[in-house]
Amino acid sequence: MSNFLAIDDFSRAELEALLELAAELKREHMAGANRPWLRGKTLAMIFQKPSLRTRVSFEMAMRHLGGDALYLSPHEIGLGKRESVADVARVLSGYVNGIMARVFAYEHMRELAEHASVPVINGLSDLNHPCQALADIFTIMELRPQLQGLKLAFVGDGNNVATSLLLICARLGVHFSIAAPEGYELEAAVAARGSKLAAETGADFLQLHDPAEAVAQADIIYTDVWTSMGQEESEQRRHIFQPYQVNRALLARARPDVLVMHDLPAHRGEEITDAVADGPHSVIFQQAHNRLHAQKAILARLLGE
Ligand code: CP
Ligand code: NVA
């Protein structure tokens, strides 16, 4: 493992090893006994977009592990504008032991990794959000340890979060259904890859338009914002996505013990109601908190000895 750019770069065994390490690191942390796995190591964090969870959880993860992190805001670097992506990667590689980046174009992530001599971690791109997906599966495993055969229903936009989630579910044998409006489905290449991985692990993968059909008998309902960072047409989307709101009526169609997940930030009252986000099925804050532990596993594996 030399970078963490996309779920699809990893085998089932590699993902399972990361999840196991995350559990070990969480146990250590909860016992108040963080070991300095990354003493003296540093991480540069490039952000082209805003962040709460990714920024704070990576920074705290480095501190807990005995290292240090440097936040570089959207105004500072001008990735690909003030300076080429390749030159940023080459320069930072002389200062730090790893780079975490949140970018618009996934190609920039690949370019950073190609030209950096230190590991690069994807903290979200327009195409995918693999750190989120790892933390999400980690959360599901805490609550439903037998992953194989669970059914996750994603309701909403076939976006970066849905993409990484599909790929990790398909890889690990979790049935995945997505209900998205016409024109907002997963990218065709992503769906094709998901189908192939799902077939290998015996998982179902369904692409639908009807949310009620997608969540029937679901163990987990997952949603995300209708308009992602960098997308302009939020008014039009609000109208198109209205039938895709995760509310009490939709929950009633899933299993009685269904878990509700959201990567956050949420646009409450749009893709999810307060009653559901704050209700007894919601695990959204456990999910957010687990970003810390899942990312510690990624950092320890990539930057550790
Ligand atoms: N879920 C997530 O990545 O949150 P932030 O955008 O706040 O980092
Ligand atoms: N799909 C959202 C996820 C934010 C964490 C976005 O890209 O804005």
Side-chain angles (χ1 to χ4, degrees):
M1 213 174 132
S2 51
N3 297 297
F4 191 80
L5 303 184
I7 292 297
D8 202 17
D9 294 341
F10 303 102
S11 67
R12 181 174 192 155
E14 285 171 321
L15 292 171
E16 285 172 347
L18 274 176
L19 291 161
E20 229 168 86
L21 182 55
E24 182 184 340
L25 291 164
K26 183 168 181 177
R27 276 193 301 274
E28 276 187 20
H29 180 67
M30 292 306 180
N34 288 315
R35 275 185 289 163
W37 295 61
L38 299 181
R39 199 197 312 268
K41 298 282 172 78
T42 52
L43 180 75
M45 308 192 297
I46 302 174
F47 281 90
Q48 286 193 309
K49 307 181 186 188
S51 169
L52 171 65
R53 280 143 291 273
T54 305
R55 188 252 159 106
V56 179
S57 58
F58 265 105
E59 189 160 336
M60 292 305 116
M62 285 303 291
R63 285 196 206 167
H64 293 172
L65 296 170
D68 203 0
L70 176 71
Y71 172 69
L72 296 161
S73 78
H75 308 293
E76 279 166 280
I77 294 197
L79 190 72
K81 294 194 178 91
R82 180 170 184 264
E83 196 160 1
S84 76
V85 176
D87 281 356
V88 169
R90 293 180 185 116
V91 170
L92 283 177
S93 295
Y95 299 148
V96 294
N97 304 105
I99 300 169
M100 192 283 294
R102 165 166 288 193
V103 301
F104 286 95
Y106 179 63
E107 299 86 75
H108 284 172
M109 198 71 72
R110 287 272 169 204
E111 217 177 321
L112 275 174
E114 189 186 329
H115 297 282
S117 57
V118 298
V120 174
I121 300 170
N122 180 350
L124 181 146
S125 77
D126 285 357
L127 176 66
N128 53 13
H129 197 0
C131 291
Q132 182 70 52
L134 190 73
D136 294 342
I137 286 289
F138 179 67
T139 305
I140 294 171
M141 284 175 78
E142 287 186 321
L143 296 158
R144 303 281 184 269
Q146 186 52 51
L147 278 188
Q148 184 83 37
L150 287 178
K151 176 179 172 180
L152 186 148
F154 187 98
V155 179
D157 189 18
N159 63 12
N160 45 7
V161 169
T163 290
S164 293
L165 201 56
L166 161 64
L167 296 175
I168 203 162
C169 284
R171 186 65 108 189
L172 298 178
V174 176
H175 302 309
F176 187 95
S177 58
I178 176 167
E182 270 186 73
Y184 296 88
E185 295 96 345
L186 289 159
E187 279 190 17
V190 168
R193 187 64 189 150
S195 297
K196 184 161 186 299
L197 294 180
E200 284 169 16
T201 58
D204 300 330
F205 167 40
L206 291 176
Q207 293 198 85
L208 306 162
H209 295 299
D210 178 6
E213 195 183 338
V215 306
Q217 290 307 309
D219 298 284
I220 303 135
I221 296 177
Y222 198 118
T223 190
D224 183 22
V225 289
W226 295 336
T227 306
S228 285
M229 292 179 278
Q231 294 171 337
E232 307 299 337
E233 68 287 17
S234 60
E235 206 39 62
Q236 185 191 344
R237 282 174 176 254
R238 246 196 296 279
H239 177 69
I240 293 169
F241 279 91
Q242 199 55 55
Y244 293 81
Q245 185 184 68
V246 175
N247 51 34
R248 278 188 178 140
L250 192 65
L251 239 62
R253 297 179 172 270
R255 287 175 50 95
D257 61 350
V258 66
L259 304 175
V260 174
M261 301 183 77
H262 191 308
D263 49 291
L264 302 179
H267 292 164
R268 286 165 174 261
E270 291 190 14
E271 76 276 3
I272 192 164
T273 58
D274 282 336
V276 171
D278 301 327
H281 297 275
S282 171
V283 297
I284 60 178
F285 296 111
Q286 180 174 345
Q287 188 187 349
H289 296 158
N290 277 335
R291 293 288 302 278
L292 175 68
H293 311 293
Q295 285 156 201
K296 276 167 125 171
I298 297 168
L299 290 165
R301 188 54 52 85
L302 286 177
L303 272 56
E305 300 308 326

